[in-house]
Amino acid sequence: DTEVTQTPKHLVMGMTNKKSLKCEQHMGHRAMYWYKQKAKKPPELMFVYSYEKLSINESVPSRFSPECPNSSLLNLHLHALQPEDSALYLCASSLDPLPRNTIYFGEGSWLTVV
Amino acid sequence: TQLLEQSPQFLSIQEGENLTVYCNSSSVFSSLQWYRQEPGEGPVLLVTVVTGGEVKKLKRLTFQFGDARKDSSLHITAAQPGDTGLYLCAGDPLKSNYKLTFGKGTLLTVNP
């Protein structure tokens, strides 16, 4: 079973709201990722967690705040977003951090900021 | 910077035709993944190739990894409307930097 589960599937939020995206995997994977994807473009890496510790932040604005409560869960807290942040947010995991590990993606959370 | 040049960017064909998508780089990758993505959904893994010269088949899809592990191709035989989607190649770098290198994607439309 190579399943990464994301909730919610769709989220509409105002620019003053605080919301969270959630991600869960029960494959025993030790690396988890957040990606942002705009329509018809490849995913862009935002954050990498390795063994529950933040290992990479790709210069993401502080209005995006990741959290890894345990080895199976990954959250992305959202606050004071801008309309240009509207995108598909993808969670992913791999058994271990790259290299030599396959990344499995969740179905994504489609975020619209109004 | 490790770049993956993916081509073609757009492809519209009729049902039953064959097609090939290419991913090329000047960098060596320890492995390369191919994903298929439908609008509003996450990328679904099709295959991972790890050995230079490797060929993998998944029904009507054939994947090749170049001998030097710098390039890969995806060939679809007798395309069907259900094959429509965005195809992404992604290289796993030889040196660890936690980042997949993605091609820009090939948007395939198979018309009935």
Side-chain angles (χ1 to χ4, degrees), chain A residues 23-39:
Chain A
C23 176
E24 190 169 4
Q25 58 87 13
H26 294 290
M27 297 178 280
H29 286 184
R30 298 179 278 263
M32 295 186 77
Y33 311 78
W34 280 114
Y35 283 83
K36 173 183 177 181
Q37 187 179 25
K38 291 283 198 178

Side-chain angles (χ1 to χ4, degrees), chain B residues 82-93:
Chain B
D83 295 327
T84 294
L86 179 67
Y87 288 82
L88 293 161
C89 63
D92 177 359

Side-chain angles (χ1 to χ4, degrees), chain A residues 1 3 6 8 12 14 17-19 30 47 49 55 62 82 92 95-96 112:
Chain A
D1 183 14
E3 189 169 299
Q6 290 187 242
V12 179
N17 290 160
K18 284 186 180 182
K19 297 285 184 183
R30 298 179 278 263
F47 302 103
Y49 272 82
S55 56
S62 60
Q82 303 296 312
L95 182 60
D96 282 306
T112 302

Side-chain angles (χ1 to χ4, degrees), chain A:
Chain A
D1 183 14
T2 53
E3 189 169 299
V4 177
T5 304
Q6 290 187 242
T7 56
K9 177 83 170 162
H10 299 278
L11 178 62
V12 179
M13 60 184 290
M15 289 188 284
T16 58
N17 290 160
K18 284 186 180 182
K19 297 285 184 183
S20 297
L21 304 180
K22 297 184 182 301
C23 176
E24 190 169 4
Q25 58 87 13
H26 294 290
M27 297 178 280
H29 286 184
R30 298 179 278 263
M32 295 186 77
Y33 311 78
W34 280 114
Y35 283 83
K36 173 183 177 181
Q37 187 179 25
K38 291 283 198 178
K40 299 180 182 178
K41 300 288 186 183
E44 296 175 1
L45 183 65
M46 299 174 72
F47 302 103
V48 179
Y49 272 82
S50 175
Y51 296 87
E52 301 174 44
K53 292 190 189 315
L54 182 64
S55 56
I56 289 187
N57 175 341
E58 288 285 291
S59 302
V60 179
S62 60
R63 57 186 184 269
F64 295 91
S65 175
E67 178 196 18
C68 189
N70 60 54
S71 60
S72 300
L73 296 174
L74 187 66
N75 298 322
L76 186 62
H77 302 298
L78 314 170
H79 174 55
L81 295 193
Q82 303 296 312
E84 59 265 28
D85 296 322
S86 298
L88 182 67
Y89 288 83
L90 295 163
C91 177
S93 69
S94 60
L95 182 60
D96 282 306
L98 297 183
R100 303 182 190 281
N101 279 274
T102 297
I103 289 184
Y104 297 91
F105 287 89
E107 291 189 343
S109 292
W110 192 258
L111 174 67
T112 302
V113 182
V114 297

